[in-house]
Amino acid sequence: MARRRRKPERRDNPHLDESAQVRDFYAHPVGRDVIDKLLLQQGHSNRWVDNPIVGRLRLKTVAWLARPFTGPNLVTTLVKLVNAEPEAPDPGTGAPEPTWWKQAAFYQIFPRSFADSNGDGIGDLGGLLARLDYLAELGIDCVWLSPIYDSPNEDGGYDVRDYRAVMTEMGTLEDLDAVIAGCHARGMRIILDLVVNHTSDQHEWFQKALADPDGPYGDYYFLLPPDPDDPEQPPNNWKSAFSGPAWRWLPEVERWVLHLFAPSQPDLNWENPRVRDEVIDLCRWWFDRGIDGFRMDVINFISKTPGLPDGHDFVGDMVQVAGVEHYFYGPRLHEFLRELRERAFDPPGGTPKLMVGETPGVGVETGRLLTGADRGELDLIFSFDHLESGSNTRYDDYRYDLELYKRYLIDYQERLGSNDWLTLFFENHDNPRMISKVNPDPQHRVALGKLLGTLLLTMRGTPFIYQGQELAGINEPFESLDELRDVESHNRYRTLVEEGKSEDEAWAQVLTSSRDHSRIPMRWEPGPGSGFTTGTPWLIGREDPGFSVAEQEDDTESVLSHYRRLLALRRRSTALRLGDVEFVDADRSGYFAWFRTTGAERFFVQLNLTDAPLDIPDADPAAELVLASHGAGQTGTLAPYESRVYSLRPNTPATGD
Ligand code: TEU
Ligand code: CA
């Protein structure tokens, strides 16, 4: 692979002050992402900024107008944030470099829920090894395993006790070696999950820090002494993503410790070069064991504003977590990522390892600054803006509007240059199932499952399938909090009740948003245990007749068969992997259609995003229907959630108009 260009020294964005206009702010990559996020959360389109009156407003006028709603200093906070990023993304020239990871179809496994080999009810590496053929036959190119490291499991393994050991219930390092070799033998790659924004409080570094907070390990974390005038008050107003303050009092050492997630997940202090050396060492150690890269957990959170100042209240209310502007896109983030790449992932003379960043809160432009091919930072990111619809977040009970995802994708694709690439996903181990969010009516389940698969695997970008998505998995009808295992759900329930919600209201909210919907055991076969375990599963999963692997495998009309056909088509079609995307009739509501084209190949994809029949222009008579959710379908109409993929000769139009 060609070496990356060294990042040129440049200062692309003008420095802004409060006499600048809204449009100057919006022209800045950070400003653009902030405004887009704000508008998205209010349910407005970003066309709003094109309004000349709005665009010419001075920031100080906005500050004055908005002050009654936002409190003082919001604009000052945002201007500071924007000026901290002097660089703009470079669009690049020519075609994107055809790296393997742009062309691969990924499959995320939550190992605890995938396959249990010894009947203890917990998925393990032996179970996974026995199911690798399933993944290879499905047509997967790269597997991503959620954490398998030694962990007290207070956050589904995202609380690591020992980065170089495998969780006892999952097996041994040798079992993991067998999984790595098993993937490679089947022509698949494998990446692991790197969780280094924080460790478990049972990690030896934290234990050593507790034993001697003034010794070398004290500085591995953010251990802060209390304010003598107000010892009960945490060092700042930051909140944890899992409810409550981001600070835990440690009576044994009389210090506060920062935890952006659970109290048992203290944040690592990346300002300390020894912490960065440790991370680099452990990455190299895993690369020596043969893995092909990492998905990097909340990697955009690793750099925090020095001094850890208070977050702005309005920003905190907006994203429901105070403090984020001090670590979503911190001052040394680029530097830390480049160091990781140069010293661990992509050292001179080696084979570059994949860096997929999980980056909550990062938008398109800041995403491009983290992944551009010229940047030497990440390869790909998971951005989450599309999982929040209008003013709704994951925690609200609402219907997800696919029209919103369509507009998001069109806007995203149009802003990318040849230096940029995007991930495609709508499920993972942190989110409820997409079918349930879009339309829980069982009569649409199969069509919707196929539609989502078609979208994921024929759109431009790198697709990530989450386990069970290929079976049209839906949310689990949990009956009570006792059935849930997730720390986030339990904390959230407690907080909602403390805030005065009734138990029923709190339960309703937790039920819609629980991460456990995606963590229930994989359904391999019909019947009790679902072929996942012969024992009692660690998390309940009811029977779901008709939707197991065994039942769908032999049914050519199943969602699983549809995914297999899609993956096979994608694998043999350069246009579907790397081709340009050109949207058609984008203003036709409920309709999503596009071409994918390379020199010799051209495809046309049509989707009905709604639960009603949709009139459409006729396809070119020369177009050959190569993959469809409803067979040949009806001319001039798409059935509810119908999806079709046509093959065309290049340079022919697809529609009659
Ligand atoms: O998640 C990061 C995170 O912030 C999510 O909770 C996010 O807010 C949510 O998914 C948005 O819908 C990562 C892991 O994926 C998650 O499982 C861990 O609990 C968390 O980091 C801490 O490691
Ligand atoms: Ca087991």
Side-chain angles (χ1 to χ4, degrees), residues 486-608:
D486 181 21
V487 57
E488 185 199 61
S489 301
H490 282 270
N491 286 1
R492 197 164 175 83
Y493 181 83
R494 201 178 323 118
T495 307
L496 289 168
V497 170
E498 277 163 18
E499 284 170 7
K501 291 257 185 319
S502 74
E503 292 193 354
D504 284 351
E505 283 169 323
W507 168 244
Q509 267 213 30
V510 165
L511 181 62
T512 1
S513 62
S514 180
R515 305 190 298 183
D516 281 342
H517 288 301
S518 54
R519 299 180 182 188
I520 57 159
M522 179 80 176
R523 294 191 177 102
W524 297 101
E525 291 159 17
S530 306
F532 164 74
T533 183
T534 54
T536 309
W538 71 278
L539 173 66
I540 195 167
R542 290 165 178 78
E543 287 182 52
D544 188 11
F547 287 91
S548 68
V549 171
E551 290 159 286
Q552 293 194 44
E553 221 156 24
D554 300 325
D555 173 3
T556 54
E557 300 305 311
S558 69
V559 175
L560 177 59
S561 297
H562 189 76
Y563 266 81
R564 286 188 173 169
R565 284 193 291 268
L566 281 164
L567 284 157
L569 179 65
R570 192 176 183 280
R571 196 174 264 178
R572 62 172 187 265
S573 315
T574 315
L576 289 181
R577 297 193 313 276
L578 295 166
D580 295 337
V581 62
E582 184 193 331
F583 296 102
V584 182
D585 273 341
D587 292 332
R588 192 185 287 255
S589 169
Y591 180 61
F592 197 12
W594 61 88
F595 291 105
R596 297 294 312 281
T597 316
T598 50
E601 277 181 320
R602 186 162 165 92
F603 289 90
F604 180 56
V605 182
Q606 287 184 313
L607 310 179
N608 177 358

Side-chain angles (χ1 to χ4, degrees), residues 51 76 94 136 164 169 183 234 271 282 287 332 362 390 400 441 446 451 507 599 603 657:
N51 177 318
T76 317
R164 292 179 177 78
E169 311 92 284
C183 285
E271 298 290 323
L282 77 91
F287 297 146
R332 298 181 70 188
V362 165
Y400 184 93
D441 184 342
V446 168
L451 175 112
W507 168 244
F603 289 90
D657 54 16

Side-chain angles (χ1 to χ4, degrees), residues 108 110 144 146-147 155-159 193 195 197-198 241-242 260-262 265 295 297-298 301 321 328 358 360 384 387-388 394-395 428-432 486-488 515 519:
Q108 181 192 353
F110 194 72
W144 149 29
S146 271
D155 181 22
Y158 285 88
D159 46 329
D193 212 314
V195 191
N197 173 69
H198 43 265
F242 294 161
L260 295 180
F261 293 90
Q265 291 168 298
R295 175 268 191 186
D297 192 60
V298 287
F301 289 17
V321 187
F328 264 15
E358 188 223 17
F384 292 92
L387 292 185
E388 326 233 305
R394 173 157 72 83
Y395 306 113
N428 63 22
H429 63 295
D430 290 334
N431 280 276
D486 181 21
V487 57
E488 185 199 61
R515 305 190 298 183
R519 299 180 182 188

